[in-house]
Amino acid sequence: MDTNPALPGRSLAGPRTVYNSDHEMFRDQVRRFFEKHIVPFHRQWERDGIVPRSVWLEAGSAGLLCPMLSEEYGGAGADFGYSAIIIEEIARTNCTGPGFPLHSDIVVPYVADLATEERKRDWLPGMARGEIIGAIAMTEPGMGSDLKAMRTTARREGDEYVINGSKTFISNGQLADLVIVCAKTDPAAGRKGISLICVPADAPGFTKGRNLEKIGLHAQDTSELFFEDVRVPVANLLGEENKGFNYLIRNLPQERLVIAVRAAMGMEVMLEKTVAYTKERQAFGQPVIDFQHNRFKLADAKAQATMFRVFADHCLALHLRGELTVELAATAKLLGAEMQNRLFDDFLQLHGGYGYMAEYEIGRAWADARIGRIYGGSSEIMREIIGRTL
Ligand SMILES: Cc1cc2nc3c(=O)[nH]c(=O)nc-3n(C[C@H](O)[C@H](O)[C@H](O)COP(=O)(O)OP(=O)(O)OC[C@H]3O[C@@H](n4cnc5c(N)ncnc54)[C@H](O)[C@@H]3O)c2cc1C
């Protein structure tokens, strides 16, 4: 049995049953797109600290954005499996710059589920084409994990909201044309006073700060955002006022699954590359893999990545049936991110000094993976969520 994870439909745990043949045909298309439009340019984008808008437009016309969005708004009306395939191809190539999953699987669903019909028609077709890039702004300089402590406010005045405050660490922040801003519409009500409001990038009073320098994800733009008396129509509210926290809780499992799916593929691919490297690299007259210590490290890594593949596919299958719980999504994110970080650290070590060099993929993958333990809810918050169910 060929378990090479680089082959469609295969994984360390054997054939994958979570996808059908249409999914795998789509993977071929995504893979070709990545090889042509992304992989050759990604190192330059890492130096630039951002990807060009042109790749968003190319991805839009190739049908790589918003696969789940219904056809009437320009999507493909497909299931989350298609999104998962795009996420896996990002992980396979470790081309982390294009923030497609954030846009397609995190931002767009809020708009598609909660915006007014008129706003959906205004924004969604452009989002599917890659002309309107989305971001979501929850985190502020003074708070991240504890959403109820946010200080950004949206005060209602007639038919408008007036937004004041600042956000930080916002992915796609520099490129974003439309930002879902989480703000307090009832500051005294804690988590029950949060609303989600869409703010177009050209709204007067809305400014983008610097593109933040990070230790990894170098091609991904991450920004501070400032709001000073920004006025937007009340029609830009998503869903109902003061229900924002509930909407976030409802959508976060998919965001966490995105991180787990990426971790599962990343571990399989980097394991394969590390095995190849240690077979090639000689020390003391023998391949590095022939030292029992190193072979055991790789054997442990293979066993763990195999186990996680089964669990990640299980969660993916549950999500495709609409049955992924908050708790299981948190479990998948916690295990995936923590395991990926441990394994990548071992893989880097097995590369010796070359592992520390930016031109070797493992070094960049190691730095890129570190964020998995922090964003989308940190590992500690995942433990809190799981702990509450005990
Ligand atoms: C590259 C990058 C991209 C990001 N993209 C986005 C984005 O697009 N949109 C967005 O809104 N945010 C984004 N974030 C922000 C990210 O979600 C937050 O950084 C994260 O939620 C943690 O919040 P914080 O940084 O304020 O840490 P804090 O909340 O200050 O936490 C500090 C430490 O305390 C721990 N901690 C906090 N609460 C508890 C608790 N109850 N029990 C135990 N430990 C606890 C945390 O786990 C952490 O270890 C991004 C961050 C980065 C770095």
Side-chain angles (χ1 to χ4, degrees):
M1 180 175 64
D2 195 339
T3 56
N4 181 349
L7 293 173
R10 302 289 164 180
S11 77
L12 287 176
R16 299 180 70 185
T17 51
V18 71
Y19 295 126
N20 59 36
S21 56
D22 288 344
H23 287 123
E24 292 303 347
M25 267 161 54
F26 181 65
R27 185 192 300 281
D28 276 352
Q29 184 192 328
V30 176
R31 196 167 283 193
R32 281 199 304 276
F33 181 89
F34 268 72
E35 295 305 332
K36 184 169 174 204
H37 296 284
I38 294 182
V39 175
F41 311 106
H42 201 263
R43 288 310 303 280
Q44 183 56 46
W45 299 343
E46 287 176 350
R47 288 187 277 274
D48 298 341
I50 197 162
V51 307
R53 294 189 80 88
S54 56
V55 75
W56 282 85
L57 299 173
E58 285 160 354
S61 43
L64 263 62
L65 297 179
C66 315
M68 286 188 295
L69 182 63
S70 81
E71 286 168 277
E72 65 169 314
Y73 302 114
D79 60 41
F80 182 76
Y82 289 79
S83 289
I85 282 170
I86 297 168
I87 296 158
E88 289 184 356
E89 291 307 302
I90 290 175
R92 194 182 65 79
T93 54
N94 199 46
C95 288
T96 46
F100 300 157
L102 173 77
H103 172 85
S104 304
D105 308 319
I106 297 168
V107 176
V108 165
Y110 284 110
V111 180
D113 294 347
L114 300 167
T116 63
E117 189 53 38
E118 197 186 340
R119 289 296 185 254
K120 286 187 201 179
R121 299 208 175 276
D122 286 344
W123 294 325
L124 291 172
M127 295 181 100
R129 288 194 297 267
E131 291 161 6
I132 299 177
I133 298 174
I136 180 161
M138 296 174 266
T139 308
E140 299 183 357
M143 78 81 209
S145 305
D146 183 12
L147 283 175
K148 69 178 182 318
M150 75 175 57
R151 302 176 74 144
T152 298
T153 55
R155 192 180 68 250
R156 190 159 171 171
E157 276 186 18
D159 290 345
E160 291 179 324
Y161 283 113
V162 184
I163 303 174
N164 280 286
S166 61
K167 299 287 180 180
T168 195
F169 304 152
I170 306 309
S171 304
N172 290 350
Q174 294 283 304
L175 286 168
D177 303 293
L178 187 71
V179 181
I180 299 175
V181 177
C182 307
K184 286 268 179 75
T185 31
D186 183 355
R191 68 176 61 169
K192 291 190 177 149
I194 296 172
S195 299
L196 309 183
I197 301 171
C198 292
V199 180
D202 59 3
F206 173 21
T207 49
K208 296 174 175 177
R210 62 207 163 96
N211 189 5
L212 298 169
E213 265 186 61
K214 305 183 292 298
I215 62 167
L217 300 182
H218 287 306
Q220 162 76 206
D221 56 306
T222 310
S223 292
E224 298 168 317
L225 304 177
F226 302 102
F227 304 89
E228 208 181 322
D229 289 329
V230 176
R231 289 179 177 271
V232 294
V234 166
N236 285 19
L237 175 72
L238 291 178
E240 290 178 45
E241 204 177 75
N242 298 329
K243 292 270 176 69
F245 192 80
N246 297 359
Y247 301 138
L248 292 172
I249 297 293
R250 197 173 71 193
N251 285 19
L252 278 172
Q254 182 159 298
E255 177 171 354
R256 291 173 182 154
L257 184 62
V258 167
I259 295 168
V261 165
R262 189 181 290 174
M265 180 56 90
M267 286 189 279
E268 289 186 341
V269 168
M270 283 302 155
L271 171 66
E272 199 192 335
K273 291 186 186 222
T274 307
V275 169
Y277 181 83
T278 53
K279 283 183 173 170
E280 187 80 21
R281 180 73 177 173
Q282 299 270 326
F284 296 92
Q286 65 181 53
V288 164
I289 198 171
D290 283 352
F291 296 101
Q292 190 189 52
H293 170 84
N294 299 336
R295 203 166 56 252
F296 277 18
K297 276 273 174 205
L298 288 163
D300 277 343
K302 184 169 184 180
Q304 290 177 63
T306 304
M307 179 180 66
F308 189 71
R309 157 60 59 219
V310 177
F311 181 58
D313 278 2
H314 169 69
C315 290
L316 187 49
L318 284 178
H319 191 51
L320 287 169
R321 297 202 301 269
E323 293 169 13
L324 183 68
T325 60
V326 169
E327 177 198 353
L328 265 185
T331 306
K333 193 216 169 237
L334 171 68
L335 288 177
E338 292 291 327
M339 190 184 288
Q340 185 186 26
N341 273 265
R342 276 196 312 275
L343 264 51
F344 280 16
D345 198 62
D346 285 343
F347 295 164
L348 189 153
Q349 187 70 14
L350 285 161
H351 280 74
Y354 291 101
Y356 202 69
M357 295 297 117
E359 74 254 38
Y360 272 73
E361 222 176 324
I362 183 60
R364 299 205 312 287
W366 173 83
D368 291 350
R370 187 61 182 84
I371 188 58
R373 296 173 59 202
I374 299 169
Y375 68 7
S378 68
S379 288
E380 291 70 36
I381 298 300
M382 296 307 100
R383 291 186 180 102
E384 275 296 330
I385 293 169
I386 301 161
R388 270 180 228 138
T389 69
L390 298 176

